[in-house]
Amino acid sequence: MSRKPNKLRIIPLGGLGEVGKNITVIEFKDDIIIIDCGLTFPEDEMLGIDVVIPDITYLFKNREKIRGIVLTHGHEDHIGALPYILKKLNLPIYGTKLTLGLVETKLKEHRIDNVTMNIAKPKDIIKLGCFEVELIKTSHSIPDSVGLAIHTPVGVIVHTGDFKIDFTPINDDVIDLHRFAEIGSKGVLALLADSTNVERPGYTMSEKTVGDTFNNIFSKAAERIIVATFASNIHRIQQIINSAELFNRKIVVSGRSMVNTINVAYELGYLKIKEGTLIDINDMGKYSNNEIVLVTTGSQGEPMSALARMASSEHRKIELLPEDTVIISASPIPGNEKTISRVINKLLEKGSKVIYESLADVHVSGHACQEELKLIHTLLKPKFFIPVHGEYRHLKRHAELAESLGMPRENIFVVDNGTVVEFTKDTGIIGQSVPAGNILVDGLGIGDVGNIVLRDRKHLSEDGLIVVVVTISKQDGSVIAGPDIISRGFVYVRESEDLMEEARGIVKNVLIECEKKNITDWATLKSSIREVLRSHLYEKIKRNPMILPIIMEV
Amino acid sequence: MSRKPNKLRIIPLGGLGEVGKNITVIEFKDDIIIIDCGLTFPEDEMLGIDVVIPDITYLFKNREKIRGIVLTHGHEDHIGALPYILKKLNLPIYGTKLTLGLVETKLKEHRIDNVTMNIAKPKDIIKLGCFEVELIKTSHSIPDSVGLAIHTPVGVIVHTGDFKIDFTPINDDVIDLHRFAEIGSKGVLALLADSTNVERPGYTMSEKTVGDTFNNIFSKAAERIIVATFASNIHRIQQIINSAELFNRKIVVSGRSMVNTINVAYELGYLKIKEGTLIDINDMGKYSNNEIVLVTTGSQGEPMSALARMASSEHRKIELLPEDTVIISASPIPGNEKTISRVINKLLEKGSKVIYESLADVHVSGHACQEELKLIHTLLKPKFFIPVHGEYRHLKRHAELAESLGMPRENIFVVDNGTVVEFTKDTGIIGQSVPAGNILVDGLGIGDVGNIVLRDRKHLSEDGLIVVVVTISKQDGSVIAGPDIISRGFVYVRESEDLMEEARGIVKNVLIECEKKNITDWATLKSSIREVLRSHLYEKIKRNPMILPIIMEV
């Protein structure tokens, strides 16, 4: 590759539908650092896919240059791909205590134990090749989140990570606006900033407001209280614990990921729980209902989650009672509206009181709205700006926001994953792109499910399949057995015997025709069967199942 | 059935996930009337299903009693099932002019031409058996919508239909609050009211506010303007036309359903268009870009819609230009957030200016919010209340709203589809239920896709399928040909040859074992193949494809 050796290269490298969400790469001469290493959950049309991870072809090619991975916080979309990527690239990891605590649990589950993890704290400076990476305290929906000031040979790059500005955070220091201001006054070459909430005017409410709502609800609840929230939202969980303790209730935890994170957070000192507040789910019976708060997963209506199982009476240990109060302390992630609504309906049908976002202030976002973004831009006064962490619509909007604050349009780079933005001390330009994309993970297969497999799954999901099997003599091409027709996902066979019998008749005719014409090319025979059957079925029932003709030669 | 003959029976009969949305039945002795006859679009897990219609077993059984179908307005979820149901029950239809105009187009498409349609207008009274059905003007996101006051032998039942209160509607009379008040002061036995927006506080904004936004946007647009909205939202389309005429632009219509509804609405006098405003899409080239407004479908991001095709450069006649202004004049229907977002991203990537709900007031709802509902309840002062048109969460909330206005809890019936509520002059009780449910329509098949077919489609969609074929001798049970293994939607076969070869080997072993054991029961042999292969594949790749063993005997 012919490229100027003294340019700083910034590459948002991964994030399904969102730019730079999962991975961002910073490169200068022979040094590369990686910011975050996350995964995304699949889109609807990625049938059967478990998770989606970034394509790291570029990193693999340049692996000798990579000095380490710096993590901004412990959410899945920022750490979730580590188990997959560390297997190909064993790199040292840097991050704050809670972030690395969560990474450790994750790596243990994947039986990876040879990774060097380096705990750092806000204000620490990590030296990685020619880079000095400084962690700056931010606020987010998980504790111990940081932004990064990356001191490079051509200037300072600031990456906000996911953030918001919360003046009254829970058990956590306030975002270090002083340091952002200081860095800003010394000069920032480029800013990469979170665009998630750029469409929302105003400010994101403080996490503390949710605690007030909890206290209000807890003060009125006569029986059990069940709160569903994100397992990683330790501040939220702390507030549930605070309210529980205030109203003399015990805490019971349900849901595997909830149990895991609470354990990690508690062990590392991120949760303050009074002796005796936390009780085992099996000891619940020793207390009366108005002494219990259940903390559970399932705030997105996930069908296998603890809350969904309670709602459909499938939870092994918890049966909902009509006077229970259920709080869904979360917003629907786009795409989850219907599953959540279904769980809410089921809970209400059981007679429970259900409190969700449209009824009370039981959730706040973890991302900065417009006024917060303006504050950060204003404090940092960057020369160049790359909006990240958002779909194109968000990046575009964030670019407009920066422009409205006086940044020249040509200094703003709205780019795709894989696009390289190259900087000198004074200039920024779009460089050549590098490979970037999404790798689909299905079971143990990483990247083996591609467009053809997905297209077949889609076809099968819509109209099912018909298998036509026939055994034909090698010698004379005569039909020895069959044709047999088997269908799945097409029609309810017992009620469609005529249709299936007709189909068999049609295939038989095709076979007779082909035998007459002395066709022994099985590909031709198969495609005749497929075509004749396809058009017959479409005419009869306007469905288009996948048709698989199989010929056995004997 | 033993039932008191002098009770009025009200039965919300159909609506996927929503009560009484598609069909409501009113019955007294030997008379039945049907209110609305709609369909619903399938939920995500109803793979391959086109539409969902209500189960009308109960109506079919009691067909001699049915006096007619009264329609409240022309939306799909209120008229869409007519073509399916009229084929089984040929009944006279009653409704306002536009509603019946839309029904007519629909029936023509389905080649149904023997239906009696009776146009009525607000204040008209339709005599159907012992019932007198009075139409009352309401406001909604389609013109000519009405509520119903049904005068029955035991009292007056009011059904609001879908409605909101708009004091400044477009080309339409204001909702007839006087008549609601009059009926209320004479005494209403029971109210059935729209619960769609019961979770929203305050009032729904007037349709007129959208026109102001349009004028504002039109005044600034330098090039072409493209507005996507619901084809049936004639008021919205009228406002687009008004703004176009104000700013000397021509109107071009794109999208089949948009063309159809605009034709019907214009012919029936529901759209006022100046001579020469409407031009053919093929004449667009005769005008400069700043003289054009395109009205199109696709406001929900539907992949095959005109807007989606423009966004992905697949529209035959319209190529988007960087300076075009695209207005998405609609809200996402829950579940459509992601598809809309995708279209917005693509439009922005093309450089178009895109204006959607979170940026400007380009849409208002067609349903009443809390304060409007309170007004209707207060005007009507019903003795009993059945919340309808909503999921359980909405009905529950609507019940609470009625209670907050002073209605005794025992007079409110939050019921399911199929539940009968029986009324005398003074009493209301829950009666025996009647069959109710959802019939899935897939192609020409109505109700032939059930749980088994859907379960298979789901299984196929997640991990694909493996077909194992083997030809076995009838005489000695020896393998004559095969085993052959064919897969679809499982792995990309070219890159998984080893896995497939291994699978073949495993099946071979099973066959050898079975031959040794002299197993000639093919069911046993098949289930052995299935089991051994299943557990092998799960261990190797953690996927669970459908396995179809097929044995050909020769």
Side-chain angles (χ1 to χ4, degrees):
Chain A
M1 256 178 268
S2 76
R3 75 173 88 111
K4 296 258 172 60
N6 54 353
K7 279 195 172 171
L8 178 77
R9 291 157 52 85
I10 298 184
I11 318 168
L13 195 67
L16 177 60
E18 290 191 66
V19 172
K21 185 76 177 175
N22 298 155
I23 283 197
T24 298
V25 173
I26 313 268
E27 180 177 1
F28 189 84
K29 285 192 193 167
D30 290 331
D31 294 312
I32 283 179
I33 55 173
I34 298 173
I35 299 171
D36 290 337
C37 192
L39 58 73
T40 312
F41 293 99
E43 293 178 346
D44 284 352
E45 66 276 18
M46 297 177 173
L47 295 168
I49 298 303
D50 300 325
V51 299
V52 181
I53 60 173
D55 181 350
I56 55 156
T57 308
Y58 180 74
L59 293 174
F60 195 70
K61 252 192 184 166
N62 292 281
R63 58 189 175 282
E64 317 80 30
K65 290 187 177 184
I66 308 173
R67 305 295 159 235
I69 301 175
V70 184
L71 304 172
T72 60
H73 64 286
H75 278 153
E76 281 298 313
D77 47 353
H78 295 261
I79 67 168
L82 282 171
Y84 304 97
I85 287 173
L86 290 174
K87 280 177 195 161
K88 296 192 114 189
L89 294 171
N90 192 342
L91 296 165
I93 302 178
Y94 301 82
T96 53
K97 194 164 68 170
L98 180 65
T99 305
L100 294 191
L102 293 168
V103 169
E104 207 175 350
T105 315
K106 181 171 291 299
L107 295 185
K108 235 181 241 162
E109 277 173 13
H110 282 80
R111 291 185 200 146
I112 299 174
D113 54 10
N114 56 345
V115 178
T116 316
M117 294 211 263
N118 307 279
I119 294 179
K121 44 184 201 313
K123 298 199 169 164
D124 280 359
I125 288 175
I126 305 162
K127 244 195 101 41
L128 294 168
C130 68
F131 301 112
E132 289 188 344
V133 183
E134 176 185 350
L135 308 191
I136 307 171
K137 177 84 204 87
T138 57
S139 301
H140 188 43
S141 45
I142 186 167
D144 242 13
S145 64
V146 291
L148 307 176
I150 303 153
H151 303 264
T152 82
V154 299
V156 176
I157 307 299
V158 174
H159 188 301
T160 64
D162 285 358
F163 86 105
K164 68 172 180 176
I165 295 172
D166 192 336
F167 298 115
T168 54
I170 312 301
N171 294 356
D172 211 3
D173 294 328
V174 175
I175 175 171
D176 192 351
L177 294 175
H178 298 89
R179 188 57 190 146
F180 278 108
E182 226 167 61
I183 291 171
S185 57
K186 285 187 193 152
V188 170
L189 180 65
L191 169 66
L192 286 79
D194 180 5
S195 312
T196 312
N197 273 353
V198 70
E199 290 183 355
R200 299 197 200 166
Y203 272 89
T204 300
M205 296 295 286
S206 169
E207 179 63 31
K208 201 149 234 168
T209 58
V210 178
D212 296 339
T213 312
F214 283 163
N215 281 342
N216 189 13
I217 298 170
F218 278 46
S219 73
K220 291 174 191 159
E223 300 284 332
R224 218 160 29 173
I225 297 170
I226 293 139
V227 193
T229 191
F230 297 106
S232 61
N233 200 332
I234 307 297
H235 295 140
R236 191 66 48 82
I237 294 165
Q238 181 67 63
Q239 298 205 86
I240 300 168
I241 293 166
N242 294 349
S243 296
E245 290 175 345
L246 185 64
F247 291 95
N248 298 311
R249 287 176 180 257
K250 303 292 176 192
I251 296 270
V252 177
V253 183
S254 171
R256 198 178 61 92
S257 64
M258 190 59 87
V259 172
N260 284 348
T261 6
I262 288 185
N263 281 343
V264 173
Y266 181 69
E267 274 166 29
L268 298 179
Y270 289 85
L271 273 177
K272 291 178 191 131
I273 314 178
K274 283 191 191 145
E275 187 74 32
T277 294
L278 214 57
I279 64 163
D280 191 275
I281 196 164
N282 296 312
D283 292 337
M284 233 183 349
K286 297 179 187 163
Y287 299 85
S288 62
N289 286 337
N290 63 8
E291 291 174 309
I292 295 290
V293 177
L294 239 140
V295 182
T296 174
T297 53
S299 64
Q300 294 300 307
E302 305 91 325
M304 301 305 291
S305 66
L307 186 67
R309 282 183 284 131
M310 288 178 219
S312 38
S313 306
E314 285 163 7
H315 197 289
R316 281 184 310 122
K317 309 211 164 168
I318 299 155
E319 202 189 322
L320 278 182
L321 303 170
E323 289 305 308
D324 287 343
T325 300
V326 180
I327 304 172
I328 296 178
S329 181
S331 270
I333 294 171
N336 293 347
E337 292 79 1
K338 283 206 139 182
T339 48
I340 298 177
S341 204
R342 213 170 293 174
V343 169
I344 291 174
N345 286 328
K346 279 194 199 159
L347 292 168
L348 287 169
E349 279 169 30
K350 287 191 162 302
S352 304
K353 197 173 165 191
V354 187
I355 300 170
Y356 41 96
E357 216 194 4
S358 62
L359 300 192
D361 299 330
V362 289
H363 179 67
V364 295
S365 169
H367 298 274
C369 291
Q370 286 167 8
E371 297 307 311
E372 293 157 90
L373 293 172
K374 287 181 194 165
L375 176 53
I376 287 295
H377 280 262
T378 302
L379 288 179
L380 288 170
K381 297 181 291 178
K383 189 169 173 61
F384 297 101
F385 173 49
I386 306 176
V388 291
H389 297 189
E391 299 171 30
Y392 190 82
R393 60 191 271 188
H394 303 117
L395 308 186
K396 196 80 200 317
R397 197 76 195 285
H398 204 168
E400 287 162 17
L401 182 142
E403 235 186 298
S404 78
L405 295 170
M407 183 175 277
R409 183 176 290 195
E410 61 273 20
N411 288 14
I412 304 171
F413 301 96
V414 174
V415 296
D416 253 349
N417 287 318
T419 303
V420 181
V421 190
E422 296 183 337
F423 292 100
T424 64
K425 278 188 169 64
D426 317 296
T427 64
I429 56 159
I430 301 279
Q432 264 193 320
S433 291
V434 305
N438 304 305
I439 307 287
L440 310 186
V441 179
D442 180 7
L444 296 183
I446 298 174
D448 66 333
V449 171
N451 287 338
I452 293 174
V453 173
L454 287 181
R455 200 188 54 204
D456 284 349
R457 286 184 185 174
K458 182 161 200 296
H459 189 173
L460 290 165
S461 78
E462 283 174 353
D463 286 310
L465 125 131
I466 287 188
V467 184
V468 180
V469 205
V470 53
T471 305
I472 294 185
S473 157
K474 240 180 260 188
Q475 278 108 32
D476 59 3
S478 66
V479 174
I480 298 178
D484 284 3
I485 292 193
I486 295 112
S487 86
R488 288 290 186 280
F490 170 55
V491 289
Y492 186 53
V493 177
R494 288 198 193 169
E495 287 173 359
S496 309
E497 276 167 15
D498 292 353
L499 186 73
M500 298 311 280
E501 200 40 56
E502 242 176 53
R504 225 174 83 87
I506 279 173
V507 174
K508 261 188 183 163
N509 287 342
V510 175
L511 291 169
I512 291 167
E513 283 302 308
C514 286
E515 208 183 329
K516 268 190 204 156
K517 290 186 197 152
N518 236 332
I519 290 172
T520 52
D521 166 19
W522 299 154
T524 311
L525 178 56
K526 281 182 191 177
S527 88
S528 300
I529 293 174
R530 202 180 286 121
E531 260 322 292
V532 174
L533 199 52
R534 196 193 60 73
S535 66
H536 174 76
L537 292 173
Y538 190 75
E539 193 186 308
K540 286 301 257 191
I541 191 165
K542 291 268 185 296
R543 288 181 203 164
N544 187 18
M546 182 183 280
I547 298 173
L548 272 187
I550 300 173
I551 292 168
M552 302 289 284
E553 256 189 343
V554 297
Chain B
M1 254 179 270
S2 76
R3 74 171 91 110
K4 298 259 172 60
N6 55 352
K7 280 194 171 173
L8 178 78
R9 293 157 53 84
I10 298 184
I11 318 169
L13 195 66
L16 177 59
E18 290 191 67
V19 172
K21 184 76 176 175
N22 298 154
I23 283 197
T24 298
V25 173
I26 314 267
E27 180 176 2
F28 189 85
K29 287 193 193 165
D30 290 332
D31 294 313
I32 284 180
I33 54 171
I34 298 173
I35 300 171
D36 290 336
C37 193
L39 58 74
T40 313
F41 294 99
E43 294 178 347
D44 284 350
E45 65 275 18
M46 297 177 172
L47 296 167
I49 298 303
D50 300 325
V51 299
V52 181
I53 59 172
D55 180 351
I56 55 156
T57 308
Y58 180 75
L59 294 175
F60 195 70
K61 252 190 182 168
N62 292 280
R63 57 190 176 280
E64 316 78 32
K65 290 186 176 186
I66 309 174
R67 304 297 157 233
I69 301 175
V70 184
L71 304 172
T72 60
H73 63 287
H75 278 154
E76 280 298 312
D77 48 352
H78 296 261
I79 67 168
L82 282 170
Y84 304 97
I85 287 173
L86 290 175
K87 280 178 195 162
K88 296 191 114 189
L89 293 172
N90 192 343
L91 296 166
I93 302 178
Y94 301 83
T96 53
K97 194 165 66 171
L98 179 65
T99 305
L100 294 190
L102 293 168
V103 169
E104 208 175 349
T105 315
K106 182 171 292 296
L107 295 185
K108 235 180 242 164
E109 276 174 16
H110 282 80
R111 289 181 201 150
I112 300 174
D113 55 9
N114 57 344
V115 178
T116 317
M117 295 210 262
N118 308 278
I119 293 178
K121 45 183 201 312
K123 299 198 169 166
D124 279 359
I125 288 174
I126 305 161
K127 243 192 100 44
L128 295 168
C130 68
F131 302 112
E132 290 187 343
V133 182
E134 177 185 349
L135 308 192
I136 307 171
K137 176 85 205 83
T138 57
S139 302
H140 188 41
S141 45
I142 186 168
D144 242 13
S145 64
V146 292
L148 308 174
I150 304 152
H151 303 265
T152 83
V154 299
V156 175
I157 308 298
V158 174
H159 189 301
T160 63
D162 286 357
F163 86 106
K164 69 171 179 177
I165 296 172
D166 193 336
F167 297 115
T168 54
I170 312 300
N171 294 355
D172 211 3
D173 293 329
V174 176
I175 176 171
D176 192 350
L177 294 174
H178 297 90
R179 187 57 190 147
F180 278 108
E182 225 167 63
I183 291 171
S185 58
K186 286 184 192 153
V188 170
L189 180 64
L191 168 66
L192 285 78
D194 180 4
S195 311
T196 311
N197 273 353
V198 69
E199 291 183 355
R200 300 197 198 166
Y203 271 89
T204 300
M205 296 295 285
S206 169
E207 179 64 29
K208 201 150 233 169
T209 58
V210 179
D212 296 339
T213 311
F214 284 162
N215 281 342
N216 189 12
I217 298 169
F218 277 46
S219 72
K220 292 174 190 159
E223 299 285 331
R224 219 162 26 175
I225 297 171
I226 293 139
V227 193
T229 192
F230 297 107
S232 61
N233 200 332
I234 306 297
H235 293 141
R236 190 68 46 84
I237 294 164
Q238 181 68 63
Q239 298 205 87
I240 299 167
I241 293 165
N242 294 349
S243 296
E245 290 174 344
L246 186 62
F247 292 94
N248 298 311
R249 287 176 180 256
K250 303 292 176 192
I251 294 270
V252 176
V253 183
S254 171
R256 198 179 61 92
S257 63
M258 189 61 86
V259 172
N260 284 348
T261 5
I262 288 184
N263 281 343
V264 173
Y266 181 69
E267 273 166 29
L268 298 179
Y270 289 85
L271 273 178
K272 290 177 191 130
I273 313 178
K274 284 190 190 145
E275 188 76 30
T277 294
L278 214 56
I279 63 163
D280 191 277
I281 196 164
N282 296 312
D283 292 336
M284 232 183 349
K286 297 180 187 162
Y287 299 84
S288 62
N289 286 337
N290 63 8
E291 291 175 308
I292 295 290
V293 176
L294 237 142
V295 182
T296 174
T297 52
S299 64
Q300 295 299 307
E302 305 92 325
M304 301 305 291
S305 65
L307 186 66
R309 281 182 284 130
M310 288 177 217
S312 38
S313 306
E314 285 163 7
H315 197 289
R316 281 185 309 122
K317 308 211 165 167
I318 299 155
E319 201 189 323
L320 278 182
L321 304 169
E323 288 306 307
D324 287 344
T325 300
V326 180
I327 304 173
I328 297 177
S329 180
S331 271
I333 293 172
N336 294 347
E337 292 79 1
K338 284 206 137 181
T339 47
I340 297 176
S341 205
R342 213 169 294 174
V343 169
I344 291 174
N345 287 327
K346 280 194 200 158
L347 292 168
L348 286 169
E349 280 168 30
K350 286 191 162 303
S352 305
K353 197 172 165 189
V354 187
I355 301 171
Y356 42 97
E357 216 194 3
S358 62
L359 300 193
D361 300 329
V362 288
H363 181 67
V364 295
S365 169
H367 299 274
C369 292
Q370 287 169 6
E371 297 308 310
E372 292 157 271
L373 293 172
K374 286 179 195 168
L375 175 54
I376 286 296
H377 280 262
T378 302
L379 288 180
L380 288 169
K381 296 180 291 179
K383 190 171 173 60
F384 296 100
F385 173 49
I386 306 176
V388 291
H389 298 189
E391 299 171 30
Y392 190 82
R393 60 191 272 187
H394 303 118
L395 308 186
K396 194 81 201 314
R397 196 77 195 286
H398 205 168
E400 287 162 16
L401 182 142
E403 234 186 299
S404 79
L405 295 171
M407 183 176 277
R409 183 176 292 194
E410 62 273 18
N411 287 14
I412 303 170
F413 301 97
V414 174
V415 298
D416 253 348
N417 286 319
T419 303
V420 182
V421 190
E422 296 183 337
F423 293 98
T424 64
K425 278 189 170 61
D426 317 296
T427 64
I429 56 160
I430 301 280
Q432 266 191 321
S433 290
V434 306
N438 304 306
I439 307 288
L440 310 187
V441 179
D442 180 8
L444 297 182
I446 298 174
D448 65 335
V449 171
N451 288 337
I452 293 175
V453 173
L454 287 181
R455 201 188 53 206
D456 284 349
R457 286 184 184 174
K458 181 161 199 293
H459 189 172
L460 290 165
S461 77
E462 284 174 351
D463 287 309
L465 125 130
I466 287 187
V467 184
V468 180
V469 205
V470 52
T471 305
I472 293 183
S473 156
K474 239 181 261 190
Q475 278 110 32
D476 58 4
S478 65
V479 173
I480 297 178
D484 284 3
I485 293 194
I486 295 111
S487 86
R488 287 291 186 278
F490 170 54
V491 288
Y492 186 53
V493 177
R494 288 196 194 170
E495 287 173 359
S496 309
E497 277 168 13
D498 292 354
L499 186 74
M500 298 310 280
E501 200 39 55
E502 241 175 55
R504 225 174 83 88
I506 278 172
V507 174
K508 262 189 183 162
N509 288 341
V510 174
L511 291 169
I512 292 167
E513 283 302 307
C514 285
E515 207 183 331
K516 268 189 203 157
K517 290 186 197 153
N518 235 331
I519 290 170
T520 52
D521 167 18
W522 298 154
T524 310
L525 178 57
K526 281 182 191 176
S527 86
S528 300
I529 292 173
R530 201 180 287 121
E531 260 323 292
V532 174
L533 198 53
R534 195 193 60 72
S535 64
H536 173 77
L537 292 173
Y538 190 75
E539 195 186 308
K540 286 301 258 190
I541 190 164
K542 292 269 185 296
R543 287 181 203 164
N544 187 19
M546 181 183 280
I547 298 173
L548 272 187
I550 301 173
I551 291 168
M552 302 290 284
E553 257 187 345
V554 298

